[in-house]
Amino acid sequence: MKKIFIIVPLLFVSLVMNAQSPFAGIWQGTLDEDKFDFLVVFRISEEGSKLKGTMDIPQQLIVDYKSIKIKAENDSLIVDLAAFKATYKAVRKSDSLLGIWYQSGQETPLNMALTPEDKAFRMNRPQTPQPPYPYICKDVTFVNKKAKINLAGTLTIPDTTKVWPVVVLVSGSGPQDRNEELLKHQPFLIIADFFTRNGIAVLRYDDRGVGKSEGKFNEATTADLSSDAGSAVSFLKTLPYIDKKAIGMVGHSEGGVIVLMQASQNKSLRFVISMAGVSIPCLQLLVMQNDKIMEGYGAEEDIRDFFWNFNTGLYNLVLTEKNNDTLRSKAMKLFDESAATLSDEQKKEYALSETYVSSMLMQLTTPWFKYFLSIIPSNYIKKIRTNVLAINGSKDVQVPADANIEAFNTYFVQQSGIYKETHVFPGLNHLFQPCTTGMTSEYAMIDTTIDPQVLEYMTAWIKKVLAAGKK
């Protein structure tokens, strides 16, 4: 298996296409990478005398990526992808591009066809609700007094004539907007719509530093993001149409960890739902996550063993070694020892070198990563004294269901009058989509954003919890 991509932030643009240049239009082809094929789409337009465009590689979570340089020389096209350290060179023959993808010293054939708009790759998202909505949508801001920042979001409520239960939605890792948008999927918009139509108000908000929210996301840890979620609860308690005794949180992925943190300390919460949240130590989760993905890509056992052992050792070094120079020295020694059994071909194929270790250290020593590695969710789960539902998809490769559900059940202290439930949805992935393999490469290609049975299950559970409190 060749490693060809580096995941980069998604940039969304809209281009007006014209047909002045022989290369203007939509070019679509398949890059054959051993056991997996990756769809590649270039949308190219001519503005003045220059060619501009975007790139899609949906199986690598890349859509509408515009940081590409395009130039034409007679009947040849050259696309430079600096962030990927890659170049695509092709010659036009009729309505085809016959070319080569160059990356990491490897050459892979990539032929592309000029494709009409109605036949080109596009993402269908039929679940995304469209206005007008049969409920009230309010743009709101609330303050995190500790961080001294204002956070912006959307509050949906059935109406303002009654008092309603409410849910705060808490997003997963990475800078997320209030809809937790990924690859044009908007799961939080869909959850908010479904809950509100069923009599449950919802507050969803932009992460700090994202959208209309203040703050610096790249300086925030999971603890800081938990503080933001707690501030959302404080805000809701000031609203006359919100039931102060029926406030809950629903968090996805890292948000699933945050709701467990909040449930252990925030006495205002009546219930929380952890969607694909983490219950095992987060260091262990990241090692397991990488191994599951490597397995999904068909990596050999010795390569998987290398990553398991090296990642485990490196993460522990990051947590225990305070001196950066010593950390780097120990990390390089660990790498040499761990990679000693690998062949030169394997090291080249997986780009395993001192440069790889350096890039890992740059990522792992950021405030967010260091804090996340230190989280032991059982410390929070043991302290929870409110209603909790933990749900996972059976094919989740990012937060494997069995290990995390087992840990949750092990550490939660059952109490009288408290609902503690877990549920694994067969055939669903980390995003709770119906899937084939569960691999991240499927996310963009699946039309369904979130399986309707998940929405129905969460709604029924919330109503059961609320009804029990009224008896």
Side-chain angles (χ1 to χ4, degrees), residues 22 27 92-97 114:
W27 298 92
R92 176 165 181 166
K93 298 291 185 182
S94 185
D95 287 343
S96 297
L97 292 177
L114 187 62

Side-chain angles (χ1 to χ4, degrees), residues 88-222:
Y88 176 62
K89 297 181 179 179
V91 175
R92 176 165 181 166
K93 298 291 185 182
S94 185
D95 287 343
S96 297
L97 292 177
L98 307 180
I100 302 290
W101 181 284
Y102 299 89
Q103 187 172 24
S104 301
Q106 300 184 27
E107 302 178 5
T108 307
L110 174 58
N111 296 331
M112 311 186 80
L114 187 62
T115 308
E117 177 69 44
D118 62 344
K119 297 186 182 300
F121 165 77
R122 64 181 185 276
M123 293 181 292
N124 298 313
R125 302 293 179 249
Q127 276 187 293
T128 302
Q130 302 297 327
Y133 306 118
Y135 48 79
I136 297 171
C137 298
K138 297 170 66 74
D139 288 333
V140 298
T141 59
F142 57 95
V143 62
N144 181 329
K145 295 180 180 179
K146 180 180 179 181
K148 299 180 181 179
I149 57 173
N150 289 312
L151 300 164
T154 300
L155 177 64
T156 55
I157 48 177
D159 59 50
T160 56
T161 63
K162 299 178 182 179
V163 176
W164 301 98
V166 68
V167 161
V168 177
L169 298 183
V170 186
S171 66
S173 59
Q176 304 278 347
D177 69 11
R178 66 191 68 186
N179 296 324
E180 202 189 36
E181 182 165 345
L182 172 68
L183 302 165
K184 302 195 186 300
H185 288 297
Q186 300 181 72
F188 277 13
L189 172 59
I190 291 169
I191 292 173
D193 178 78
F194 193 89
F195 281 1
T196 310
R197 290 173 187 266
N198 283 275
I200 303 166
V202 177
L203 173 60
R204 63 192 198 272
Y205 58 93
D206 299 328
D207 287 349
R208 60 168 69 188
V210 177
K212 296 183 178 180
S213 288
E214 298 174 349
K216 296 180 179 179
F217 184 87
N218 60 358
E219 296 179 2
T221 67
T222 305

